[in-house]
Amino acid sequence: MVQYHRVREGPNWMMVYYKNAATPCLTLKEVKARFGPAKNTEGCKKIFSWCEEQIAKYQSSSEELDVDRVAKEGFGPEAHLDESDPNYQTKMVL
């Protein structure tokens, strides 16, 4: 059995349950290695194709932050720093 885990922080990963053991795997290559010689069976091939679908569907894009767009549209007070503001160089300490 294989479960695909989507997480908010960090990489998505798969939990492989095989031969009374649970193994976390980050890549499809690790999943295939966990199945060992059984990876050539039809059932495992279906599992691998399902894993590829999940990775393609939920893989996070590694887009870099567009600083110009943030300055233009903004999504918080940090996006629009005003140098004429007297609190421009101050930070809140908790």
Side-chain angles (χ1 to χ4, degrees):
M1 182 169 97
V2 177
Q3 293 178 339
Y4 188 77
H5 293 263
R6 294 175 52 204
V7 293
R8 185 181 303 174
E9 296 176 2
N12 295 337
W13 56 283
M14 293 161 274
M15 179 65 79
V16 178
Y17 300 96
Y18 182 65
K19 290 189 176 181
N20 296 324
T23 309
C25 301
L26 294 174
T27 64
L28 185 59
K29 185 176 180 179
E30 292 176 3
V31 173
K32 289 181 179 182
R34 181 65 188 114
F35 281 105
K39 66 184 170 196
N40 297 321
T41 62
E42 283 298 316
C44 283
K45 289 180 182 177
K46 289 180 183 178
I47 289 173
F48 299 149
S49 66
W50 177 81
C51 289
E52 288 174 345
E53 289 174 14
Q54 298 303 309
I55 291 169
K57 185 175 181 181
Y58 296 114
Q59 185 175 22
S60 62
S61 60
S62 59
E63 296 178 9
E64 292 186 22
L65 185 62
D66 186 7
V67 180
D68 294 331
R69 181 173 172 229
V70 172
K72 180 180 161 192
E73 297 174 10
F75 50 83
E78 300 85 16
H80 304 289
L81 295 177
D82 184 13
E83 292 183 18
S84 63
D85 183 14
N87 297 327
Y88 173 68
Q89 294 292 332
T90 62
K91 301 224 182 242
M92 180 182 282
V93 178
L94 299 175

